[in-house]
Amino acid sequence: MTLSTGRRARRAARREARRALPLLRRLLPTWRVCLGAALGVLLIAVGAFAVLYVIVPLPDPNAQAVAQSNIYLYADGVTEIARTGTVNRTDVGIERIPVSTRQAVVSAEDRTFYQNRGIDLKGMVRAGWNTLTGQGMQGGSTITQQYVKNYYLTQSRTIERKGRELLIALKVDQQRGKDEILAGYLNTSYFGRGAYGIQSAARAYYGVDVSELTLPQSAYLAALLQAPSAYDVKTATPANRERALARWQYTLDGMVQLGFLSATERADTAFPDPIDPQPATGLAGQAGYLVGVADDYLVTNRVLDSATLKAGGWRITTTFEQDKQDAFARAVHDELTTELDPAARPATDTDVRVAGASVEPGTGRVVAVYGGPDYAKQPYNDALRQDNQIGSTFKPIDLAAGLTSRGTSADGLAITTETRYDGTSERPVTNGPTPYAPPNEDDIDYGSITLRQAMVRSVNSVYAQEGVDAGLAHVRDTALRLGIPADVPGLDPANTSMTLGTATPSALDLAGVYATLANHGEAHRPWSVAKLERVNPGPAPVDVPDLPEQSGSTALDRGTADAVTDVLRDVVGPRGTGAAALGLGRPAAGKTGTTDANLSAWFAGYTPDLATTVGLFRENPRTHAKEPLAGTAGYARINGGAFPTRIWTSYMDDVLDGSVIRSFDLQPTEGNTRPATTGPSTTPTTTAPATASPSTAPAPAPTTGGTGGTGGAPIPAAPAPTAPRRPTATTGPGTTAPDPVLTVITPDPPTPVPPSQPEPTPSQPTPTARPTTTRPSTEPGTTSPTRTPDPTRSPAPPPTGATKPPSTGKPPATADPATPPPA
């Protein structure tokens, strides 16, 4: 039998065997057919790729090279806030870029740059696998691909754009040298601070020409390429600063791995702190702060990335209202700036800063922010910073958590606004994760006191215990649902001091929390961009990303939120720490806050129409360390009830003037505002109880706003629509006393007379002050010298000797002249 005859016989046998198979099996293709089809498809794909590679030319540079300005508008869609976006870039040749800079960029962005052919298939597969397996979204683009995207294409994320990127990257790698590609990448990349290209970045971050960059500086600029705005250590949140430093370390490790740097040199390399951001032109006054808030919203919500936004060409209609913005700046000037005298008091009246934000409760619209006096002089947006503790403005969150928890007080009673606690100063907190015994303001003992009364007086010992009783994990969860970001420092249930406001949300974050309370527990995250359009897009279509939908979510049930508001109305009362806000002349609720060593002071409050926060602090402009407020404007102590409340009242009076006076429509859950009916009537004390008169609650005074509490002042049925410019604080029914901050006092009297204690109202226990106390104001959960230190204190300790208020001859700058209240 010949060879050909044998093959024919085998084929015939296979055909006969296949005919013998069932019909369904005969319909399936054989492995030979499958293999042939796969090879055919592969050959077609390779051929198509080869044809495309030949016929697709290198395109012209994209429009980013001639980018336009961004136009920012107020909420009316007509009035211009600012124009920004002109590309800040100066191209330089590869010979001017230090070798260490090139090596750092390769180590950070593409360690196979000098070996790959423009694309890295292994890197792309690895990045795809890491993304699919939950290790985070990762990119596999080479430096050549990123250069192609920056210079020839757009930032759109489509399969078509990615395919063109691969083809052009291969062609660019074939037609141009590695040095030319690297120079093009470094000249087109965005580094943050409005700087495009390595030359502009060197100027923006270190004030030097690119040729003068050192190795550590080069490594930091290379680290910035991954997240330019977020990794700017001068303006980053604490979490992003840690990420930036980790990326810098990663870059140096890569230089060692690739042989660019020895292990010894690596060990001796210290982080090169960049210079402070320099103000952009055209952003003077309040404009720069508003632009910063709008940009932060777009980038944080991934509407646009930083590079696309900074390249320009967008018309951005914000939610800011010009009259409210002007009123905020005017209130800070009238109520604080005019009181400061840096020439006479350089040690205390310099570097005083204000952070503020105003949010519409029913929508979450940010209508105004205060980030500083002038962006051209202070290019830091204090409204967005997250490094100031909020003190007792956190106590409403403690109360809300207690009302929604299954926790009980020490005597087994359910937590309501009328549950009684021991208000003894420095009473050790029981069952907390860390030892804690916070003092009350001026070390006053309040004895048995309800949670309502403790909020009005801002009694630290009560709310430190109540937060533990509610469950610190539940308190944290409540804070998150109300709007405090999860990653802010100090929001740690492993530390008992969390209950008194060691968390550091921004003024805008805090305004969102209080707006939720004003909106009966329905949360709308603050938002600041109403419309996004492309400016002169030209003949080619341009995709405009959609803005996030503004939908609410239930953070608290209405009965709980309204019960908290009911209590916070009493804080804005004659005996409350927010008494200065009575000058608004309309129903209001709020809470003051003052932190350890008087490092910050706050007032967060709201009417049914508007929620606003005001924070006050001092910061060294060179080291950025926090400095005490004690001595500011000549006063021994600055509480939240002083300048912050005055600024709040002046601003709210201005922007609400002429609007309808609305009362709070409160529907608190019945059990939340009644004392428990079982168990003992008072909380057992753990230290010697203070002398206190019996608490006999009178009949509630009639109000115009739902179910009121027994501890607050009546709200007038028809208050005057226009509040006085300078608020006063009442010291008792029918009497008023001037705000002590406004009182003219002869400086440096020989023997200051301490303020006398007022006669308490019938519903308040008589507090007992300890005469031997010389402790300064300590409100949020920090320790006194005699207690175990809390490990979660402020990152910037006060200067030596600042733990005691200076003797200025003036009383504390508080809202109540008779009883300096805890803030």
Side-chain angles (χ1 to χ4, degrees), residues 613-626:
T613 56
V614 178
L616 186 68
F617 62 100
R618 292 183 65 231
E619 179 177 285
N620 186 299
R622 293 179 300 278
T623 66
H624 301 288
K626 297 298 184 297

Side-chain angles (χ1 to χ4, degrees), residues 303-504:
V303 178
L304 297 173
D305 60 47
S306 295
T308 303
L309 178 62
K310 293 296 183 182
W314 300 97
R315 179 183 288 109
I316 301 165
T317 303
T318 70
T319 59
F320 307 122
E321 298 180 17
Q322 186 176 21
D323 60 335
K324 292 181 173 63
Q325 187 62 39
D326 293 343
F328 219 141
R330 188 164 51 247
V332 173
H333 177 270
D334 292 349
E335 302 298 334
L336 174 65
T337 308
T338 56
E339 296 274 347
L340 302 177
D341 190 349
R345 294 182 293 268
T348 59
D349 282 18
T350 55
D351 312 323
V352 180
R353 303 170 76 145
V354 175
S358 195
V359 174
E360 193 175 71
T363 64
R365 287 194 320 124
V366 183
V367 298
V369 296
Y370 188 86
D374 185 346
Y375 191 79
K377 298 177 181 177
Q378 180 198 296
Y380 293 93
N381 197 333
D382 290 334
L384 295 179
R385 64 188 304 154
Q386 294 177 332
D387 60 352
N388 287 303
Q389 295 182 347
I390 60 172
S392 287
T393 58
F394 193 85
K395 286 175 182 172
I397 299 175
D398 293 326
L399 179 59
L403 297 179
T404 56
S405 73
R406 297 181 180 275
T408 61
S409 62
D411 51 13
L413 298 180
I415 297 175
T416 75
T417 63
E418 311 309 316
T419 302
R420 305 189 76 84
Y421 272 79
D422 177 13
T424 302
S425 183
E426 296 190 79
R427 184 182 68 82
V429 175
T430 60
N431 301 320
T434 54
Y436 195 40
N440 297 328
E441 184 92 3
D442 295 321
D443 214 26
I444 294 174
D445 292 336
Y446 289 91
S448 177
I449 189 172
T450 67
L451 287 176
R452 178 186 298 274
Q453 295 165 343
M455 186 74 76
V456 171
R457 297 281 183 158
S458 201
V459 182
N460 291 330
S461 58
V462 167
Y463 275 94
Q465 184 64 60
E466 185 271 343
V468 170
D469 293 345
L472 294 182
H474 181 57
V475 172
R476 184 181 190 274
D477 180 64
T478 303
L480 298 183
R481 285 187 283 109
L482 284 168
I484 290 185
D487 60 352
V488 299
L491 196 65
D492 183 5
N495 289 288
T496 310
S497 60
M498 183 189 77
T499 55
L500 298 187
T502 57
T504 60

Side-chain angles (χ1 to χ4, degrees), residues 647-736:
I647 293 169
W648 183 94
T649 305
S650 176
Y651 163 75
M652 295 287 279
D653 176 34
D654 200 340
V655 301
L656 297 176
D657 185 29
S659 65
V660 176
I661 296 177
R662 296 174 55 205
S663 299
F664 288 107
D665 178 20
L666 300 184
Q667 300 174 22
T669 304
E670 185 175 354
N672 282 344
T673 55
R674 290 188 176 183
T677 56
T678 60
S681 60
T682 59
T683 304
T685 61
T686 56
T687 59
T691 304
S693 61
S695 176
T696 306
T703 70
T704 59
T707 306
T710 60
I715 299 174
T722 303
R725 295 295 302 165
R726 298 270 187 173
T728 60
T730 60
T731 56
T735 63
T736 61

